[in-house]
Amino acid sequence: MKKIGYILLAAAVLAGCEKDDPMRYDMSQGRVCFPGATSNETTLYPGYSTADSTFYASLTFKQQPEGAESAVIEVPVKLIGGSSSADREVGFRILDEGTTASASDYTLLGATIPAGETYGAIRIRVVRTPELDSEERALVIELTDSPDLGIGLAGYLKAHVSWHNMLPRPVTSSQWKIYNTFINSELSATSSLSDAYSQAGHQLLVDAFGWETLPDYTTDYSYYLDAWRAKLQDWYDQWKAENPGQTRVHESGSMKGQEVTVREK
C-alpha cells in the first residue's frame, strides 16, 4: 500500500503536463508549457495539434475593428507548479524554420505568468499590410528557460502563430473535421488534419452555408451528412451554371492547383 501511495503522489505532481520526465521535474521552480495536455485545456485554449506537437494561434484582420492597422495576438502559456505572488517572465525564442514574418511585421510585447495565476501569455503586436489579403505571416516560437521559469514537457514547447486578412482558419479538431467532411482531398472525411486546407475550399463553405468561422462537427451534420453534402453540391452546380468557364482552385495545401470539389463519401 505504501508503494501505491508513492506512485499516486508522483502522478499528481506530474499532472500539469502528462508524460514529463520525473527526473528533471522540480517543484521548487515552476515550469511552463503551451496548453493542450488535458481535455479541459483544449476547451479553454483550443489550438494544440497532436499531429506535430504544436500549439496553433491565428488572427485574421477580418475579425478586427474596421480600419485596424495592428492587433495583439496573445498566445497562452501554462504554469506547471504553484502560482507566485509576483509576475514571472516566460522565456522563448523565434525559430527560423517555419517563420515567414520579417522584423517589421511584428513587435514582441513580452511574456509573463501574472502573479497568482496559472496561465499567462506571450503577447505579440502584428501589423496589417496589403500582402495579408492573399498570404499569411507566421512566427514559430519555442519556449526556453528564463530566470523565473524552466521549460516543461518537451511535446508542448512549440507554437505556430499566424496572421492574415483572410478567412479564419479552423482551430479545433472538430472544426477541421467539418472542413474535411465537405471538401474533397486525399485525407479521410473524418480526418482532423489541416494538410488539405485552402481558402478556396473554405470560401465555398462560406458562400453555400455562411460558415466564415467553421462550426464544430456534431450530430446535426453526422445524422444528415448526405443531405448536407447534396445541398453543398447543388449550390456549387448552380454557381458553375451562372459562371460558365470559371473554376475554384485550391491556392494552398496538399490540393494546391487542383479544382475544389465536394466530397462524395
Side-chain angles (χ1 to χ4, degrees), residues 6-146:
Y6 290 149
I7 292 172
L8 292 175
L9 177 59
V13 169
L14 298 175
C17 268
E18 299 166 355
K19 304 178 186 176
D20 204 357
D21 180 358
M23 297 303 293
R24 64 184 293 273
Y25 193 90
D26 179 5
M27 284 296 289
S28 66
Q29 181 192 32
R31 296 184 180 274
V32 67
C33 63
F34 291 111
T38 61
S39 58
N40 67 306
E41 287 179 353
T42 56
T43 299
L44 292 171
Y45 302 102
Y48 184 76
S49 171
T50 56
D52 58 1
S53 300
T54 301
F55 187 91
Y56 285 85
S58 183
L59 177 145
T60 173
F61 278 95
K62 281 186 174 293
Q63 296 181 330
Q64 297 298 307
E66 185 175 355
E69 296 301 322
S70 68
V72 175
I73 302 176
E74 295 194 349
V75 188
V77 289
K78 172 191 174 181
L79 173 66
I80 311 165
S83 61
S84 172
S85 59
D87 294 350
R88 286 190 279 185
E89 177 188 348
V90 175
F92 68 95
R93 66 189 181 107
I94 307 297
L95 301 180
D96 291 335
E97 185 176 358
T99 290
T100 61
S102 63
S104 60
D105 292 325
Y106 67 94
T107 302
L108 300 177
L109 302 179
T112 58
I113 302 285
E117 301 292 335
T118 54
Y119 288 91
I122 299 171
R123 303 180 71 248
I124 307 165
R125 182 176 299 281
V126 298
V127 179
R128 181 177 182 175
T129 61
E131 291 78 14
L132 296 181
D133 290 343
S134 58
E135 57 189 51
E136 71 174 21
R137 294 288 182 264
L139 294 174
V140 178
I141 294 173
E142 182 180 59
L143 295 175
T144 61
D145 291 335
S146 76

Side-chain angles (χ1 to χ4, degrees), residues 151-263:
I151 56 172
L153 178 61
Y156 297 85
L157 300 180
K158 189 169 75 171
H160 181 280
V161 184
S162 62
W163 60 98
H164 51 77
N165 191 36
M166 300 180 287
L167 293 170
R169 286 171 61 90
V171 175
T172 67
S173 59
S174 187
Q175 288 175 322
W176 283 117
K177 187 175 179 180
I178 277 283
Y179 181 88
N180 292 319
T181 292
F182 288 101
I183 303 302
N184 190 42
S185 73
E186 78 285 358
L187 299 176
S188 72
T190 58
S191 174
S192 58
L193 298 178
S194 62
D195 302 36
Y197 177 81
S198 74
Q199 289 279 298
H202 192 161
Q203 188 64 54
L204 177 59
L205 298 177
V206 172
D207 293 341
F209 298 142
W211 291 346
E212 183 168 300
T213 299
L214 296 187
D216 285 327
Y217 190 86
T218 66
T219 54
D220 289 341
Y221 306 109
S222 61
Y223 286 174
Y224 308 103
L225 186 53
D226 289 342
W228 277 99
R229 284 175 174 162
K231 181 179 180 181
L232 179 59
Q233 188 65 63
D234 287 346
W235 187 95
Y236 201 10
D237 290 343
Q238 181 64 33
W239 179 85
K240 290 180 177 180
E242 295 172 354
N243 298 273
Q246 294 189 37
T247 57
R248 298 184 181 221
V249 177
H250 293 285
E251 84 294 337
S252 63
S254 61
M255 300 294 288
K256 183 176 181 179
Q258 300 183 50
E259 182 179 358
V260 175
T261 58
V262 177
R263 187 183 292 277

